[in-house]
């Protein structure tokens, strides 16, 4: 460990002691002239004012490969961004000398970026530049969060920084992520890099990459090159080993983990291009005219499930797992496990034989899990599955096959009810309730030849054909309490949440605007909560702050969508309703 | 008129096709398609030929056609579009196509409502000149767009051995964009016009001003934008408007301005507080019920029809706008006049206390402004409210059908019928089908609707016009639904509308496209096949390809399906 400029850490402790002793009541950040998104847990700013940032402003930090990259980036940003807020902050620019230095100190430089790593930090910006600003954190990842906060306190041209403040910040939930599906439609690497960058701005720390599905297999695996060779949409719609390395390293520099998901045993139709022999019901019409919904081959167009009874399946799966684990260093590995559809297995002769001997589909899934889960955990990975593996009404496994110390379940159905069922079974849970966190909802169905859109005028259009409609507004996302209805002990099993963009009707043309600023809403709810000091939901005051934050993201190159007319920002409170909603 | 390279090859080709008695096959089977689908497309033996490296387009000299020709020439030589599904077309070894010859019967027809947009296009398979004939330069532009969509690959190849005869079903095919709730840069508007032209849409209805901001700089009333625009950099200058209008001419897109009044004028109060009632008030006070709101949404203010100064300003505004926008249609708004906003004004209170009515006040306003607009040789478009509002409306006698067109947005086909039954021409923008902002939740702050306990039904998500209108919803809507033939003739066409409470340049393209393309085809050649059956199923694959081509042309249209569906035709359908 190498603390450069170690001596300055003394001044930090002096300032924090000074502030802690001054017994000033914490005032609500809504009145602050400049804000940080997500709102910090503790923000003392007794006398809001600002000082100039010296043109020679510097940031000193202990040497660390990823932190140094982040420091260089933020230094450039605070000197060059020259952000002009929509509402000019009514801050008194003091005549004090400009701020010369931000000193970063870190207790433990070696903590890796992993689930549960300490992301807390303290930031002090004195009211005079004759004293240095200080950022202290336990880990480099906490320091990155503090740097983002610092950057959001800087604005104007020449650069000015909010001063006379102390922030002590720590997230409520350790797992704050975004799922992006790159199989239904492809996203080039540059879009994924921009996603990570925007996540870091919002202090989100997990990019859950739903890489493959039945529609395409864009990931090039060294041991199984044919999967992408035949299963990718095209030659220029692949992620190479170098692409993944670039993304993972980029994520490290931004404090964002990448959790890969190779969904299986369902959602693997694209594997059949290379290995038809291990895939059941591949390339069949998903829901034949003569079949009931229960007899569909897949939950949406694009059929195919791995055959757990074929030995060859495990040769391929093992290669896939090993390659993916090699390419993605994160300790989480997402193995899918959702939406195994009975009829897709039932059409296979070997499975028919098994079933005819009183075997069940649940047993077949258990065979698959038992043959793959140990392989993944042997690579020192915690496995994330979608909740279906435990909660599906037809095809599920016994909890005994899923050791809670190795398995996390990600919930997406039935809102808080399934979260409760998962934690009540003793599992850690990641919440992606489709009622709240699915970003694709409310956009109609993508299936073709759908006569519901050809009804006579006057017909009730219902929810517009979106299975999870309506559209989840930023407020819907912001207000959701992911531990709703849980006891304190149960709540501890909730690691956090992920908003999800499944890409049947999304690709780079809409990625930014579908995700932002709605993912920002979750980012704050999971970081410092959705309530004010009195316990009241703070969505009303968050509106103005989110307007400003959305605008700042846009100026930073993220095409976040607007949530209100600009008029509302310029006329605070005037776009509110004061009439409570009556259902 | 300057017909360069007059040629008879077109006629001989045409005769051959007409005599060869080949049944018209459905375009769904064609390996390459044109969006919107042409009315008539003969392609008995689909194949392609190369476009010569020195390919040229000859056309009569014309201020607007010539730039269009130059643009399309560049495009067909340079676009090198590779369709998602490679067209299985046999590339003929015939000599490459060296020229497209355009003939125009009447080069003087201005771009105005009802102008003839028909064209015929013949691309022979022999390498003989391709022929595009049109009555007007605007029809020729439509034909050029069609030709450009038949060109693909590198080196450029073009579908050949075909004959297209094309004419739109409806004369008015537009997009309404609101630039007041949020601002759009001029470059966004130019991109919109460009994309409209690709889809053969011909009217950009520009809802320029509203209560939230007044971005257009008017020479006689500069204070309106100076104080009412969002910022110095969020204005449209006279030069900007000229740029948009001229650009529109080169793309065959008319620009119809809307200055909404007497409601939706809160932004005027920054410059002229004395002519605006209820300005800058909280829109829906806690103590009042919905009928007593001051505006239909946050942002209050209505012009005071009883104040003489109102008409000084309005006259200047109308005059300037009519000068800046040459189109024959002038949209004067008149939607959502809210009772309480007028009722809080003392002069209006006095009027009402003498047994006057709010409708009479609106009649005063219409009587004082409509004749002025028509005196400038304009046909006035109003939102339907002026005639159909439940509380504040005018007598039909004040709205001469020869000078007034009504634009419908409520109650689907019912209001369309009411309007045509009253003898008015109508533009259809039914919010049940054509509003592009619906289904996106509500923008109003502090809304407890989104803070209900889990398990509470989410309903339509509190979007007043939810759900989201899918491209199919738009495609399938028959804007003359329930009308007889005579009534249908009063339906000029339709406009999809993007209100911008939750939209700006970040989402303009994907909110509009490809859903506006769906309307574009429905209004050009209809939404049914030769047998009268709805053709939304076969349109899906074509729209996937067309959406992709728009993206490659720089329009960020949103995807409608996984790419997998395009590559596996029919596999993403439902048969239930």
């Amino acid at each position: 460990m190498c603390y450069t400029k170690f001596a300055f850490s003394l001044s930090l402790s002096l300032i924090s002691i000074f502030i802690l002793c001054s017994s000033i009541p914490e005032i609500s950040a809504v009145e602050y002239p400049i804000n940080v998104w997500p709102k910090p847990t503790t923000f003392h700013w007794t006398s809001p004012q600002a000082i100039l940032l010296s043109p020679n402003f510097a940031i000193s930090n202990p040497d660390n490969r990823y932190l140094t990259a982040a420091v260089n980036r933020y230094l450039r940003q605070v000197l060059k961004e020259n952000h002009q807020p929509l509402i000019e902050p009514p801050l008194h620019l003091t005549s004090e000398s400009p701020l010369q230095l931000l000193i970063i100190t870190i207790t433990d430089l070696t903590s890796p970026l992993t689930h549960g790593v300490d992301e807390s930090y303290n930031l002090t910006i004195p009211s005079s530049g004759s004293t240095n600003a200080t950022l202290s954190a336990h880990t480099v990842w906490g320091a990155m969060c503090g740097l983002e906060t610092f950057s959001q306190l800087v604005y104007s041209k020449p650069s000015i920084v909010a001063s006379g403040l102390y922030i002590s910040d720590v997230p409520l939930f350790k797992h704050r992520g975004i799922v992006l599906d790159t199989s239904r439609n492809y996203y080039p690497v540059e879009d994924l890099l921009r996603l990570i960058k925007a996540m870091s701005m919002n202090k989100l720390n997990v990019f859950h990459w739903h890489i493959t599905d039945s529609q395409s297999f864009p990931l090039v695996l060294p041991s199984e090159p044919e999967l992408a060779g035949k299963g990718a949409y095209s030659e220029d719609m692949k992620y190479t080993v170098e692409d993944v390395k670039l993304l993972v390293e980029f994520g490290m520099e931004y404090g964002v983990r990448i959790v890969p998901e190779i969904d299986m045993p369902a959602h693997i139709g694209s594997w059949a291009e290379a290995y038809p022999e291990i895939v059941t019901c591949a390339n069949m019409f998903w829901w034949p005219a003569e079949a009931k919904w229960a007899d569909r081959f897949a939950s949406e167009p694009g059929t195919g499930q791995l055959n757990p009874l074929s030995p060859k399946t495990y040769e391929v799966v093992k290669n896939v797992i090993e390659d993916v684990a090699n390419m993605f260093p994160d300790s989480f590995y997402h193995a899918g496990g959702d939406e195994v559809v009975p009829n897709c297995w039932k059409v296979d002769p070997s499975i028919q034989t098994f079933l005819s001997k009183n075997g069940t589909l649940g047993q077949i899934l258990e065979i698959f899990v038992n043959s793959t889960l140990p392989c993944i955990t042997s690579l020192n990975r915690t496995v994330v599955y979608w909740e279906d593996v435990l909660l599906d009404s037809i095809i599920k496994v016994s909890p005994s096959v899923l050791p809670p110390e190795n398995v996390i379940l990600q919930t997406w159905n039935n809102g808080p009810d399934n979260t409760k069922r998962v934690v009540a079974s003793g599992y850690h849970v990641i919440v992606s309730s489709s009622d709240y966190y699915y970003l694709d909802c409310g956009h109609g169905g993508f299936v073709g030849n759908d006569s519901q859109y050809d009804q006579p005028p006057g017909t009730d259009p219902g929810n517009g054909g979106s299975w999870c409609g309506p559209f989840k507004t930023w407020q819907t996302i912001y207000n959701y309490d992911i531990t709703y209805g849980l006891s304190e002990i149960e709540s501890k099993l909730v690691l956090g949440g992920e908003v999800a963009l499944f890409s049947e009707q999304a690709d780079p043309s809409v990625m930014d605007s579908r995700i932002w600023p709605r993912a920002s809403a979750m980012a704050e709810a999971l970081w410092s909560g959705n309530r004010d000091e009195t316990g009241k939901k703070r969505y009303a005051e968050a509106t103005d702050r989110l307007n400003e934050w959305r605008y700042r993201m846009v100026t930073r190159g993220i095409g976040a969508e607007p949530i209100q007319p600009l008029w509302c920002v310029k006329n605070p409170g005037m776009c509110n309703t004061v009439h409570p909603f009556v259902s | 008129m300057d017909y360069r390279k007059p040629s008879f090859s077109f006629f001989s080709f045409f005769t051959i096709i007409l005599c060869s008695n080949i049944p018209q096959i459905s375009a769904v089977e064609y390996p390459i398609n044109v969006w919107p689908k042409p009315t008539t497309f003969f392609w008995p033996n689909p194949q392609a030929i190369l476009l010569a490296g020195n390919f040229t387009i000859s056309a009569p000299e014309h201020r607007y056609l010539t730039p269009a020709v130059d643009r399309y020439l560049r495009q067909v030589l340079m676009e090198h579009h590779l369709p998602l599904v490679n067209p299985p077309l046999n590339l003929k070894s015939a000599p490459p196509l060296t020229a497209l010859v355009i003939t125009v019967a009447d080069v003087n027809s201005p771009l105005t409502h009802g102008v003839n947009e028909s064209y015929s296009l013949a691309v022979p398979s022999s390498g003989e000149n391709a022929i595009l004939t049109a009555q007007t330069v605007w029809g020729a532009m439509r034909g050029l767009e069609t030709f450009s969509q038949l060109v693909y690959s590198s080196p450029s190849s073009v579908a050949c051995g075909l004959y297209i005869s094309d004419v739109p079903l409806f004369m008015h095919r537009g997009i309404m964009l609101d630039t007041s709730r949020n601002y759009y840069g001029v470059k966004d508007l130019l991109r919109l016009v460009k994309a409209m032209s690709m889809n053969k849409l011909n009217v950009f209805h520009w809802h320029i001003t509203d209560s939230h901001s007044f971005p257009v700089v008017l020479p006689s009333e500069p204070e309106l934008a100076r104080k009412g625009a969002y910022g110095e950099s969020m204005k449209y200058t006279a030069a900007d408007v000229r740029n948009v209008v001229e650009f529109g001419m080169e793309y065959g897109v008319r620009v119809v301005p809307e200055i909404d009044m007497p409601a939706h004028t809160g932004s005027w109060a920054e410059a002229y507080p004395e002519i605006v009632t209820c300005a800058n008030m909280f829109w829906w006070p806690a103590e009042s019920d919905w009928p007593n709101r001051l505006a239909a949404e946050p942002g209050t203010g209505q012009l005071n029809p009883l104040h003489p100064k109102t008409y000084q300003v309005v006259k200047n505004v109308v005059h300037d706008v009519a000068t800046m926008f040459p189109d024959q249609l002038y949209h004067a708004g008149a939607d959502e006049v809210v009772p309480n906003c007028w009722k809080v004004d003392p002069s209006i209170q006095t009027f009402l206390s003498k047994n006057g009515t709010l409708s009479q006040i609106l009649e005063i306003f219409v009587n004082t402004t409509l004749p002025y607009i028509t005196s400038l040789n304009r046909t006035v478009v109003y939102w339907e409210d002026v005639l159909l509002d439940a509380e504040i409306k005018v007598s039909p006698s004040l709205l001469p059908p020869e000078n007034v067109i009504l634009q419908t947005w409520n109650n689907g086909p019912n209001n369309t019928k009411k309007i045509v039954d009253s003898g008015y021409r109508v533009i259809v923008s039914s919010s049940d089908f054509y509003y592009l902002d619906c289904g996106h939740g509500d923008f109003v702050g502090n809304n407890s609707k989104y803070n209900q306990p889990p398990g509470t039904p989410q309903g339509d998500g509190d979007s007043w016009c939810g759900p989201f209108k899918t491209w199919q919803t738009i495609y399938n809507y028959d804007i003359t639904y329930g009308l007889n033939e005579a009534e249908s003739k009063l339906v000029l066409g339709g406009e999809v509308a993007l209100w911008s409470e939750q939209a700006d340049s970040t989402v303009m393209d994907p909110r509009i496209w490809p859903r506006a393309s769906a309307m574009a085809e429905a209004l050009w050649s209809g939404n049914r096949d030769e047998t009268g059956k709805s053709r939304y199923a076969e349109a899906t694959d074509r729209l996937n390809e067309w959406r992709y081509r728009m993206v490659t042309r720089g329009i960020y249209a949103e995807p409608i399906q996984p790419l997998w569906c395009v590559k596996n035709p029919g596999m993403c359908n439902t048969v239930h």
Side-chain angles (χ1 to χ4, degrees), chain A residues 177-181 187 195 198-199 202 204 206-208 386 410 412 431-444 466-478 497-507 510-523 546 560-561, chain B residues 439-441 458 468 511 558:
Chain A
I178 294 180
V179 186
L180 182 70
D181 157 20
Y187 296 74
L195 176 64
M199 289 179 68
N202 286 277
L204 293 172
V206 181
F207 168 30
H208 166 178
W386 293 103
Q410 183 161 9
W412 62 286
V431 176
S432 290
S433 167
S434 55
D435 291 342
Y436 299 91
Y437 280 1
Y438 270 31
L439 302 177
D440 54 318
C441 304
H443 208 73
S466 168
W467 71 270
C468 55
F471 177 81
K472 311 309 172 194
T473 68
W474 75 266
Q475 300 101 314
T476 303
I477 293 170
Y478 191 80
E498 294 177 3
V499 287
L501 181 56
F502 288 99
S503 296
E504 283 86 352
Q505 297 181 91
D507 74 1
V510 296
M511 185 188 87
D512 283 13
S513 56
R514 283 265 208 292
I515 294 180
W516 310 106
R518 291 188 290 158
S520 306
M522 184 195 71
L546 188 57
E561 67 176 8
Chain B
H440 207 74
Q458 295 178 342
F468 177 83
R511 283 265 208 297
E558 68 177 9

Side-chain angles (χ1 to χ4, degrees), chain A residues 144-157:
Chain A
M144 284 185 197
C145 290
L147 280 164
E148 176 59 36
T149 293
F150 182 81
S151 81
Q152 292 186 28
L153 295 169
V154 177
Y155 66 102
S156 199
K157 184 172 185 175

Side-chain angles (χ1 to χ4, degrees), chain A residues 267 299 336-339 385-389 391-392 409-415 418-419 422 429-438 467-468 500 502:
Chain A
H267 291 282
S299 290
D338 58 319
E339 296 189 311
Y385 286 117
W386 293 103
E387 61 176 22
D388 314 44
V389 74
L391 301 183
D392 188 86
L409 295 176
Q410 183 161 9
T411 178
W412 62 286
N413 286 302
N414 297 327
N418 278 9
T419 304
V422 169
V429 67
I430 295 164
V431 176
S432 290
S433 167
S434 55
D435 291 342
Y436 299 91
Y437 280 1
Y438 270 31
W467 71 270
C468 55
F502 288 99

Side-chain angles (χ1 to χ4, degrees), chain B residues 149-165:
Chain B
Q149 294 186 28
L150 296 170
V151 177
Y152 67 103
S153 196
S154 178
S156 296
S157 307
V158 61
C160 71
L162 60 83
Y163 171 72
I164 290 171
S165 172

Side-chain angles (χ1 to χ4, degrees), chain A residues 332-390:
Chain A
F332 285 12
Y333 180 108
H334 203 304
D338 58 319
E339 296 189 311
V340 180
V341 171
N343 219 29
C344 183
W345 274 348
K346 284 188 195 162
V347 292
D348 181 82
S350 66
I351 289 179
Q352 283 165 2
T353 307
F354 182 90
L355 295 176
S356 69
K357 294 175 182 161
N358 294 324
T360 66
L361 293 169
Q363 285 168 349
I364 294 175
L365 182 60
E366 288 194 349
I367 291 170
F368 184 79
V369 169
N370 266 331
S371 313
T372 51
L373 176 58
C375 164
I376 311 175
T377 55
S378 76
L379 297 168
N380 208 17
R381 294 295 191 280
T382 301
V383 178
V384 189
Y385 286 117
W386 293 103
E387 61 176 22
D388 314 44
V389 74
L390 185 72

Side-chain angles (χ1 to χ4, degrees), chain B residues 1-276:
Chain B
M1 277 188 282
D2 168 25
Y3 290 80
R4 283 175 277 175
K5 304 195 187 178
S7 163
F8 293 101
S9 60
F10 159 67
F11 296 102
S12 44
F13 179 71
F14 187 38
T15 314
I16 290 167
I17 287 181
L18 286 183
C19 297
S20 58
N21 195 21
I22 293 148
Q24 188 179 353
I25 55 171
S26 167
V28 65
E29 298 164 37
Y30 284 172
I32 191 162
N33 286 287
V34 173
W35 193 281
K37 190 170 168 175
T39 346
T40 307
F41 194 157
F42 286 105
W43 198 5
N45 181 19
Q47 40 192 8
I49 51 173
L50 282 171
L51 216 57
N54 57 355
F55 175 77
T56 59
I57 304 178
S58 72
E61 192 65 34
H62 183 275
R63 179 174 170 194
Y64 299 117
L65 180 59
T66 302
V69 164
D70 293 346
R71 187 173 76 236
Y72 279 110
L73 180 60
R74 251 192 328 273
Q75 185 167 32
V76 297
L77 291 172
M78 312 288 273
E79 187 181 11
H80 299 310
H81 177 66
L82 293 174
L84 293 168
V85 176
N86 194 29
L89 279 175
N90 179 25
L91 191 62
K92 285 206 51 155
S93 54
L97 185 66
T98 54
L100 169 67
V101 178
I102 301 178
T103 57
V104 176
D106 174 9
V107 291
N108 295 315
S109 288
L111 181 61
T112 186
H113 176 74
V115 72
N116 189 322
E117 291 175 288
S118 70
Y119 69 92
S120 300
L121 174 69
V123 185
S125 47
S126 58
E128 280 179 88
N129 290 342
I131 304 289
L132 170 61
T133 58
Q135 286 296 309
T136 68
V137 296
W138 321 108
M141 286 186 196
R142 306 293 170 241
L144 279 164
E145 176 59 36
T146 293
F147 182 79
S148 80
Q149 294 186 28
L150 296 170
V151 177
Y152 67 103
S153 196
S154 178
S156 296
S157 307
V158 61
C160 71
L162 60 83
Y163 171 72
I164 290 171
S165 172
D166 211 6
V167 55
L169 286 174
F170 292 94
M171 291 304 191
H172 188 107
R173 306 176 308 281
I175 294 180
M176 196 225 72
L177 182 70
D178 157 20
T179 61
S180 173
R181 270 59 174 247
N182 280 306
Y183 179 83
Y184 296 75
V186 171
K187 68 171 159 53
D188 298 307
L189 304 185
L190 297 180
R191 193 172 69 258
L192 176 63
V193 168
K194 197 172 142 187
M196 289 179 67
S197 179
M198 292 179 202
N199 286 276
K200 297 189 173 70
L201 293 172
N202 61 3
V203 180
F204 167 31
H205 167 180
W206 186 357
H207 183 91
I208 311 176
T209 65
D210 210 293
S211 278
H212 306 88
S213 74
F214 196 105
V216 67
V217 181
L218 299 177
S220 315
E221 292 290 354
E223 291 299 286
L224 286 170
R226 200 178 71 77
K227 295 184 172 167
Y230 275 141
E232 197 49 48
S233 62
M234 298 197 208
K235 290 179 183 173
Y236 305 109
T237 64
D240 290 337
V241 171
R242 202 176 309 129
N243 186 10
V244 172
V245 169
E246 277 296 293
F247 192 85
M249 298 293 276
E250 292 180 6
Y251 282 80
V253 175
R254 298 156 47 206
V255 184
V256 174
E258 178 185 356
I259 306 292
D260 202 347
M261 55 187 194
H264 292 281
T265 56
S267 58
W268 301 39
E270 302 302 311
Y272 296 110
E274 66 275 26
I275 67 170
V276 180

